[in-house]
Amino acid sequence: MKKVKVKLHFPRKWLGRPLISELITKYGIVFNILHADISYDSEGTLIAEISGDDDSVNNALAYIDSVDVKYKLYNKSIIIREEECIDCGACTAVCPSEALTMDSNNKLRFDKEKCLVCELCIKACPLKIISTEF
Amino acid sequence: MKTVAEINERIKNGRAVVATAEEIIEIAEEQGYRKAAEMVDVVTTGTFGPMCSSGVFINFGHSDPPIKMQRVTLNDVPAYAGLAAVDAYIGATELSTTRGMEYGGGHVIEELVAGRDVRLHAEAHGTDCYPRKEIDTTINKYNVNQIYMYNPRNAYQNYPAATNSTKRTIHTYMGTLLPEFGNITYSTSGELSPLLNDPYYRTIGLGTSIFLGGARGYVTWQGTQHNPGQKRAENGVPVSLSGTLAVSGDLREMSTRYIKAAIYDKYGISLFVGIGIPIPIIDEEMLAFTAVRNSGIITSIADKSGNVRLDETFTYEQLQSGSVEFRGKKVKTAPLSSIGRAREIAGVLKEWIEGGRFLLTEAVEPLPMENKINKLEIRGIV
Ligand code: SF4
Ligand code: SF4
């Protein structure tokens, strides 16, 4: 089993094949879209989590490489020094993916699965307790 | 009707009934205002938010030979020393001369509260009575003579939410605001907030004893920009910028759990200050005031780029829900002040009072109910 987080970069006026359904049918992987910002007239990005057995994931990535779409693997992840967190919520203001939210008890909740590693929260935290880990 | 003296008697005997400003909402709903007012003696409030107008007075003690300090830095952060020889004031937002926006007055204050050593550098021109011209040493909260917080403006009664109308991200003391009304931030503890529970300052005034940064402190004056004349909703709660408090307390007794430095990206340094104020339930009207809920507190919204005048208003219940409808779209809302820690402060103050360790003080003078906010006009210099 392998699970990777990737950012796909679609060129402007992408007229390629229906990439995602191809990946799913050809390689039997699970393709979970975390964030998409694509339109015909401009460059687009799509952040997704691809999982499946090792070979399928590797082959799927190789296939993406062979078409006109570039991809970048996320090898970092966000860590929050939770014991120092005061639950102020400033980081939730900038988080584009709802990875950081306030729960009904006004406590910070971090959903790692949804994180796009955009690093916006690192600067937004007034206590500077968010960082990345390789 | 109860007097503060009667309530203090009950506190001393360990019989006072105390509820936090959140708990009182349910009690009032179950019992009705009149019965709840008879039952409950004190309601405790709390807030823990970034408060830029904060700082600390220090008297360093005299060296041998002595110095009349003129330029003072603490860990390379300038402090104001235009006072007597070894008195200085360090403000929360002052920036380090060597590390810029990474470190500032707020950090120095937090280090002092933590009991750590801080580097003191002072220069002087030297006088007959104060011959020394320079000094380098370290100080901490134990080896100075006095070290007390004096915050000219804290505990804003109501503060407008913030957003950004421009096409680029802006960096403000209200956090990072995304383009085209991409998010809304707000800073309040809402129904837990001190002055929102005593909207007409009936019990909070000069001399009121409070929780400040984990220690006992006092309301010492009206806060700067105190604006009691703000428009109010039917329940008496102001709908935008209004009352403020100047507060003071002994830094030696404070804790870093309730005093924390903050850095706002590309804006600068601030200080999270924890404040809790007990409200004596002297009559049914006070009980009704303290039973205020987030759904009954309205605030305005400001475009922090300064371009667009916004007339929308929101309740704190709406803002706390995580998103609001704004200009035809769903906009994410985010807090800046910690409600969790505000709740904790109200709880600690409640314990202090229940345990007989904290008596209430009656205000020696009320806060003004009339005050005009002046604009700074740019006038020709003669
Ligand atoms: S890096 Fe931070 S802001 Fe970006 S998605 Fe992850 S949690 Fe949210
Ligand atoms: S901004 Fe920092 S301190 Fe505030 S809730 Fe987020 S992680 Fe915690």
Side-chain angles (χ1 to χ4, degrees):
Chain A
M1 228 358 227
K2 184 171 178 175
K3 191 168 172 186
V4 293
K5 196 177 272 185
V6 289
K7 185 186 223 173
L8 304 185
H9 212 87
F10 291 81
R12 192 157 174 264
K13 303 206 191 290
W14 161 254
L15 286 169
R17 286 155 293 209
L19 181 66
I20 297 165
S21 39
E22 275 186 2
L23 289 173
I24 295 170
T25 47
K26 269 196 170 139
Y27 304 104
I29 47 118
V30 176
F31 194 96
N32 182 16
I33 298 175
L34 299 171
H35 188 80
D37 182 11
I38 302 178
S39 66
Y40 173 69
D41 263 340
S42 56
E43 290 182 12
T45 54
L46 189 148
I47 297 167
E49 211 166 53
I50 300 178
S51 53
D53 59 58
D54 290 15
D55 278 352
S56 309
V57 172
N58 292 340
N59 290 338
L61 292 176
Y63 184 73
I64 296 171
D65 232 5
S66 75
V67 297
D68 212 5
V69 178
K70 291 192 184 64
Y71 78 86
K72 203 182 97 196
L73 275 182
Y74 283 106
N75 41 18
K76 288 194 270 187
S77 58
I78 287 288
I79 25 176
I80 303 173
R81 298 206 299 277
E82 273 170 36
E83 18 14 283
E84 289 173 60
C85 174
I86 56 170
D87 301 300
C88 67
C91 54
T92 67
V94 295
C95 182
S97 71
E98 309 226 320
L100 291 166
T101 49
M102 300 308 285
D103 72 13
S104 57
N105 229 346
N106 312 96
K107 286 228 163 301
L108 180 69
R109 208 179 53 204
F110 179 45
D111 185 346
K112 210 170 176 167
E113 299 281 299
K114 288 189 183 158
C115 176
L116 314 173
V117 203
C118 69
E119 303 190 12
L120 287 175
C121 53
I122 294 180
K123 287 194 166 162
C125 171
L127 268 54
K128 301 288 159 224
I129 56 168
I130 309 181
S131 55
T132 50
E133 179 194 59
F134 285 93
Chain B
M1 291 285 272
K2 273 176 270 182
T3 65
V4 171
E6 281 163 6
I7 293 172
N8 274 338
E9 272 314 302
R10 294 168 65 83
I11 296 174
K12 280 186 217 154
N13 299 331
R15 289 191 298 113
V17 179
V18 189
T20 70
E22 283 180 331
E23 292 163 351
I24 197 67
I25 293 171
E26 215 174 296
I27 298 173
E29 195 171 81
E30 278 168 16
Q31 309 288 336
Y33 290 162
R34 182 197 297 223
K35 211 154 155 241
E38 280 165 18
M39 274 171 59
V40 176
D41 299 307
V42 186
V43 169
T44 58
T45 62
T47 183
F48 187 65
M51 307 193 195
C52 290
S53 229
S54 302
V56 173
F57 278 107
I58 309 174
N59 177 285
F60 298 112
H62 288 285
S63 57
D64 184 19
I67 180 171
K68 156 71 195 87
M69 296 180 181
Q70 248 142 359
R71 280 174 305 282
V72 170
T73 60
L74 292 167
N75 283 356
D76 295 337
V77 180
Y80 180 72
L83 301 161
V86 292
D87 283 336
Y89 183 80
I90 174 119
T93 68
E94 189 70 52
L95 299 179
S96 159
T97 56
T98 49
R99 295 171 63 189
M101 278 197 194
E102 258 173 56
Y103 191 91
H107 297 92
V108 173
I109 294 168
E110 186 183 333
E111 304 224 31
L112 288 166
V113 172
R116 286 197 281 271
D117 277 350
V118 165
R119 272 181 297 112
L120 164 67
H121 172 78
E123 292 167 19
H125 54 65
T127 70
D128 289 341
C129 46
Y130 292 106
R132 185 189 286 272
K133 291 190 172 162
E134 203 172 8
I135 193 165
D136 280 289
T137 181
T138 61
I139 58 131
N140 58 47
K141 68 176 176 181
Y142 306 107
N143 67 10
V144 296
N145 282 323
Q146 278 78 26
I147 181 161
Y148 58 91
M149 192 166 274
Y150 190 98
N151 304 345
R153 179 168 75 255
N154 280 177
Y156 239 121
Q157 192 167 17
N158 195 338
Y159 208 83
T163 190
N164 169 19
S165 68
T166 67
K167 287 198 155 47
R168 60 176 191 95
T169 296
I170 61 172
H171 302 273
T172 74
Y173 65 90
M174 289 295 282
T176 304
L177 297 171
L178 305 174
E180 295 175 2
F181 306 117
N183 59 359
I184 293 172
T185 60
Y186 61 96
S187 187
T188 185
S189 58
E191 61 198 22
L192 273 163
S193 181
L195 290 179
L196 291 174
N197 281 277
D198 184 3
Y200 292 106
Y201 332 115
R202 280 188 69 213
T203 68
I204 300 173
L206 300 199
T208 298
S209 191
I210 64 172
F211 171 110
L212 178 61
R216 188 189 174 96
Y218 292 90
V219 173
T220 49
W221 204 247
Q222 57 176 286
T224 52
Q225 293 174 27
H226 178 65
N227 181 25
Q230 179 62 259
K231 206 176 118 214
R232 289 166 187 268
E234 231 169 80
N235 58 4
V237 176
V239 297
S240 189
L241 294 173
S242 39
T244 68
L245 300 176
V247 298
S248 186
D250 193 347
L251 181 137
R252 278 192 182 125
E253 291 161 32
M254 293 182 185
S255 141
T256 54
R257 188 157 180 85
Y258 306 112
I259 298 289
K260 278 236 169 291
I263 304 176
Y264 288 98
D265 189 31
K266 297 191 177 70
Y267 165 76
I269 312 293
S270 188
L271 188 71
F272 275 88
V273 178
I275 294 180
I277 304 189
I279 296 178
I281 302 302
I282 48 175
D283 55 24
E284 204 178 314
E285 188 189 38
M286 273 329 289
L287 191 283
F289 283 143
T290 59
V292 71
R293 312 162 175 258
N294 287 332
S295 56
I297 307 169
I298 296 165
T299 199
S300 55
I301 180 164
D303 172 17
K304 286 289 162 192
S305 74
N307 291 337
V308 183
R309 217 198 107 92
L310 301 170
D311 294 319
E312 285 86 348
T313 59
F314 298 100
T315 68
Y316 279 131
E317 186 182 40
Q318 290 171 318
L319 291 170
Q320 276 191 28
S321 73
S323 66
V324 294
E325 279 288 315
F326 183 64
R327 310 216 144 188
K329 63 172 184 173
K330 190 174 155 200
V331 179
K332 180 214 297 253
T333 57
L336 297 172
S337 114
S338 170
I339 295 180
R341 198 128 319 163
R343 186 177 290 139
E344 180 181 309
I345 289 168
V348 170
L349 186 54
K350 174 181 162 168
E351 266 176 43
W352 285 359
I353 297 170
E354 281 175 341
R357 296 197 299 280
F358 189 102
L359 293 179
L360 309 190
T361 51
E362 231 162 324
V364 290
E365 202 180 303
L367 295 170
M369 269 310 292
E370 272 166 42
N371 211 24
K372 188 168 151 272
I373 294 292
N374 295 312
K375 274 227 177 304
L376 178 59
E377 306 289 349
I378 301 175
R379 305 196 289 188
I381 293 170
V382 280

mmCIF file of all heavy atoms in Angstrom, chain B residues 14-35:
data_model
loop_
_atom_site.group_PDB
_atom_site.id
_atom_site.type_symbol
_atom_site.label_atom_id
_atom_site.label_comp_id
_atom_site.label_asym_id
_atom_site.label_seq_id
_atom_site.Cartn_x
_atom_site.Cartn_y
_atom_site.Cartn_z
ATOM 1 N N GLY B 14 -17.099 31.574 52.504
ATOM 2 C CA GLY B 14 -17.105 30.439 51.584
ATOM 3 C C GLY B 14 -18.489 30.067 51.108
ATOM 4 O O GLY B 14 -18.731 28.943 50.678
ATOM 5 N N ARG B 15 -19.427 31.011 51.151
ATOM 6 C CA ARG B 15 -20.798 30.675 50.770
ATOM 7 C C ARG B 15 -21.259 31.371 49.488
ATOM 8 O O ARG B 15 -22.405 31.257 49.077
ATOM 9 C CB ARG B 15 -21.768 31.030 51.917
ATOM 10 C CG ARG B 15 -21.639 30.102 53.132
ATOM 11 C CD ARG B 15 -22.776 30.298 54.118
ATOM 12 N NE ARG B 15 -22.787 31.665 54.659
ATOM 13 C CZ ARG B 15 -23.738 32.548 54.418
ATOM 14 N NH1 ARG B 15 -24.760 32.242 53.647
ATOM 15 N NH2 ARG B 15 -23.675 33.750 54.942
ATOM 16 N N ALA B 16 -20.355 32.112 48.870
ATOM 17 C CA ALA B 16 -20.764 32.857 47.677
ATOM 18 C C ALA B 16 -21.067 31.907 46.529
ATOM 19 O O ALA B 16 -20.381 30.907 46.337
ATOM 20 C CB ALA B 16 -19.666 33.828 47.270
ATOM 21 N N VAL B 17 -22.125 32.226 45.799
ATOM 22 C CA VAL B 17 -22.465 31.436 44.610
ATOM 23 C C VAL B 17 -21.942 32.183 43.387
ATOM 24 O O VAL B 17 -22.289 33.334 43.149
ATOM 25 C CB VAL B 17 -23.990 31.232 44.505
ATOM 26 C CG1 VAL B 17 -24.328 30.434 43.246
ATOM 27 C CG2 VAL B 17 -24.501 30.525 45.755
ATOM 28 N N VAL B 18 -21.059 31.498 42.643
ATOM 29 C CA VAL B 18 -20.391 32.141 41.515
ATOM 30 C C VAL B 18 -20.681 31.344 40.250
ATOM 31 O O VAL B 18 -20.653 30.117 40.266
ATOM 32 C CB VAL B 18 -18.859 32.207 41.746
ATOM 33 C CG1 VAL B 18 -18.183 33.067 40.685
ATOM 34 C CG2 VAL B 18 -18.539 32.730 43.150
ATOM 35 N N ALA B 19 -20.938 32.044 39.176
ATOM 36 C CA ALA B 19 -21.133 31.383 37.876
ATOM 37 C C ALA B 19 -20.305 32.132 36.846
ATOM 38 O O ALA B 19 -20.073 33.331 36.985
ATOM 39 C CB ALA B 19 -22.603 31.414 37.479
ATOM 40 N N THR B 20 -19.829 31.426 35.821
ATOM 41 C CA THR B 20 -19.132 32.129 34.751
ATOM 42 C C THR B 20 -20.179 32.769 33.837
ATOM 43 O O THR B 20 -21.360 32.421 33.880
ATOM 44 C CB THR B 20 -18.264 31.184 33.904
ATOM 45 O OG1 THR B 20 -19.130 30.336 33.146
ATOM 46 C CG2 THR B 20 -17.327 30.351 34.760
ATOM 47 N N ALA B 21 -19.709 33.678 32.997
ATOM 48 C CA ALA B 21 -20.625 34.395 32.106
ATOM 49 C C ALA B 21 -21.283 33.463 31.089
ATOM 50 O O ALA B 21 -22.288 33.818 30.482
ATOM 51 C CB ALA B 21 -19.881 35.518 31.392
ATOM 52 N N GLU B 22 -20.717 32.268 30.895
ATOM 53 C CA GLU B 22 -21.394 31.279 30.048
ATOM 54 C C GLU B 22 -22.425 30.500 30.862
ATOM 55 O O GLU B 22 -23.551 30.292 30.419
ATOM 56 C CB GLU B 22 -20.374 30.301 29.446
ATOM 57 C CG GLU B 22 -19.597 30.885 28.295
ATOM 58 C CD GLU B 22 -18.593 29.896 27.706
ATOM 59 O OE1 GLU B 22 -18.090 29.013 28.429
ATOM 60 O OE2 GLU B 22 -18.289 30.032 26.520
ATOM 61 N N GLU B 23 -22.026 30.098 32.075
ATOM 62 C CA GLU B 23 -22.939 29.304 32.906
ATOM 63 C C GLU B 23 -24.211 30.075 33.263
ATOM 64 O O GLU B 23 -25.300 29.505 33.355
ATOM 65 C CB GLU B 23 -22.228 28.871 34.195
ATOM 66 C CG GLU B 23 -21.116 27.861 33.966
ATOM 67 C CD GLU B 23 -20.151 27.747 35.146
ATOM 68 O OE1 GLU B 23 -20.225 28.569 36.098
ATOM 69 O OE2 GLU B 23 -19.306 26.845 35.105
ATOM 70 N N ILE B 24 -24.049 31.405 33.444
ATOM 71 C CA ILE B 24 -25.189 32.196 33.909
ATOM 72 C C ILE B 24 -26.311 32.227 32.873
ATOM 73 O O ILE B 24 -27.482 32.388 33.216
ATOM 74 C CB ILE B 24 -24.748 33.638 34.291
ATOM 75 C CG1 ILE B 24 -25.806 34.330 35.158
ATOM 76 C CG2 ILE B 24 -24.461 34.475 33.060
ATOM 77 C CD1 ILE B 24 -25.981 33.729 36.515
ATOM 78 N N ILE B 25 -25.958 32.012 31.608
ATOM 79 C CA ILE B 25 -26.972 32.061 30.554
ATOM 80 C C ILE B 25 -28.021 30.972 30.784
ATOM 81 O O ILE B 25 -29.227 31.213 30.739
ATOM 82 C CB ILE B 25 -26.298 31.898 29.174
ATOM 83 C CG1 ILE B 25 -25.411 33.119 28.892
ATOM 84 C CG2 ILE B 25 -27.334 31.706 28.070
ATOM 85 C CD1 ILE B 25 -24.530 32.988 27.671
ATOM 86 N N GLU B 26 -27.516 29.775 31.095
ATOM 87 C CA GLU B 26 -28.430 28.660 31.318
ATOM 88 C C GLU B 26 -29.201 28.828 32.624
ATOM 89 O O GLU B 26 -30.402 28.573 32.685
ATOM 90 C CB GLU B 26 -27.627 27.361 31.358
ATOM 91 C CG GLU B 26 -28.369 26.195 30.756
ATOM 92 C CD GLU B 26 -27.450 24.988 30.688
ATOM 93 O OE1 GLU B 26 -26.437 25.055 29.959
ATOM 94 O OE2 GLU B 26 -27.722 24.022 31.401
ATOM 95 N N ILE B 27 -28.477 29.301 33.655
ATOM 96 C CA ILE B 27 -29.139 29.498 34.953
ATOM 97 C C ILE B 27 -30.287 30.489 34.809
ATOM 98 O O ILE B 27 -31.392 30.273 35.303
ATOM 99 C CB ILE B 27 -28.113 29.994 36.011
ATOM 100 C CG1 ILE B 27 -27.026 28.932 36.217
ATOM 101 C CG2 ILE B 27 -28.811 30.326 37.330
ATOM 102 C CD1 ILE B 27 -25.877 29.360 37.107
ATOM 103 N N ALA B 28 -30.016 31.583 34.082
ATOM 104 C CA ALA B 28 -31.048 32.607 33.904
ATOM 105 C C ALA B 28 -32.228 32.060 33.122
ATOM 106 O O ALA B 28 -33.388 32.392 33.394
ATOM 107 C CB ALA B 28 -30.453 33.811 33.179
ATOM 108 N N GLU B 29 -31.942 31.188 32.165
ATOM 109 C CA GLU B 29 -33.016 30.637 31.357
ATOM 110 C C GLU B 29 -33.892 29.701 32.182
ATOM 111 O O GLU B 29 -35.103 29.724 32.082
ATOM 112 C CB GLU B 29 -32.408 29.888 30.174
ATOM 113 C CG GLU B 29 -33.415 29.589 29.098
ATOM 114 C CD GLU B 29 -32.710 29.053 27.859
ATOM 115 O OE1 GLU B 29 -32.390 27.846 27.840
ATOM 116 O OE2 GLU B 29 -32.450 29.857 26.961
ATOM 117 N N GLU B 30 -33.242 28.911 33.041
ATOM 118 C CA GLU B 30 -34.005 27.962 33.861
ATOM 119 C C GLU B 30 -34.782 28.647 34.979
ATOM 120 O O GLU B 30 -35.915 28.308 35.253
ATOM 121 C CB GLU B 30 -33.058 26.933 34.491
ATOM 122 C CG GLU B 30 -32.713 25.805 33.553
ATOM 123 C CD GLU B 30 -31.563 24.974 34.093
ATOM 124 O OE1 GLU B 30 -31.239 25.088 35.302
ATOM 125 O OE2 GLU B 30 -30.970 24.213 33.291
ATOM 126 N N GLN B 31 -34.119 29.630 35.624
ATOM 127 C CA GLN B 31 -34.692 30.193 36.846
ATOM 128 C C GLN B 31 -35.438 31.504 36.623
ATOM 129 O O GLN B 31 -36.210 31.925 37.483
ATOM 130 C CB GLN B 31 -33.579 30.457 37.880
ATOM 131 C CG GLN B 31 -32.663 29.284 38.147
ATOM 132 C CD GLN B 31 -33.355 28.196 38.945
ATOM 133 O OE1 GLN B 31 -34.318 28.463 39.667
ATOM 134 N NE2 GLN B 31 -32.899 26.968 38.794
ATOM 135 N N GLY B 32 -35.202 32.142 35.520
ATOM 136 C CA GLY B 32 -35.730 33.501 35.340
ATOM 137 C C GLY B 32 -34.780 34.486 35.993
ATOM 138 O O GLY B 32 -34.032 34.128 36.904
ATOM 139 N N TYR B 33 -34.812 35.725 35.534
ATOM 140 C CA TYR B 33 -33.856 36.729 36.006
ATOM 141 C C TYR B 33 -33.949 36.965 37.509
ATOM 142 O O TYR B 33 -32.950 37.034 38.209
ATOM 143 C CB TYR B 33 -34.063 38.072 35.284
ATOM 144 C CG TYR B 33 -33.660 38.060 33.823
ATOM 145 C CD1 TYR B 33 -34.124 39.044 32.957
ATOM 146 C CD2 TYR B 33 -32.815 37.071 33.321
ATOM 147 C CE1 TYR B 33 -33.760 39.047 31.616
ATOM 148 C CE2 TYR B 33 -32.454 37.061 31.985
ATOM 149 C CZ TYR B 33 -32.930 38.058 31.130
ATOM 150 O OH TYR B 33 -32.568 38.051 29.816
ATOM 151 N N ARG B 34 -35.175 37.111 38.012
ATOM 152 C CA ARG B 34 -35.297 37.488 39.407
ATOM 153 C C ARG B 34 -34.733 36.427 40.345
ATOM 154 O O ARG B 34 -33.942 36.725 41.236
ATOM 155 C CB ARG B 34 -36.765 37.741 39.759
ATOM 156 C CG ARG B 34 -36.888 38.197 41.214
ATOM 157 C CD ARG B 34 -38.278 38.063 41.692
ATOM 158 N NE ARG B 34 -39.109 38.958 40.895
ATOM 159 C CZ ARG B 34 -40.061 39.722 41.413
ATOM 160 N NH1 ARG B 34 -40.255 39.712 42.698
ATOM 161 N NH2 ARG B 34 -40.804 40.464 40.636
ATOM 162 N N LYS B 35 -35.135 35.188 40.108
ATOM 163 C CA LYS B 35 -34.675 34.108 40.971
ATOM 164 C C LYS B 35 -33.162 33.896 40.815
ATOM 165 O O LYS B 35 -32.439 33.700 41.798
ATOM 166 C CB LYS B 35 -35.419 32.821 40.621
ATOM 167 C CG LYS B 35 -35.578 31.957 41.840
ATOM 168 C CD LYS B 35 -36.744 31.031 41.803
ATOM 169 C CE LYS B 35 -36.398 29.876 42.739
ATOM 170 N NZ LYS B 35 -36.366 28.600 42.037
#
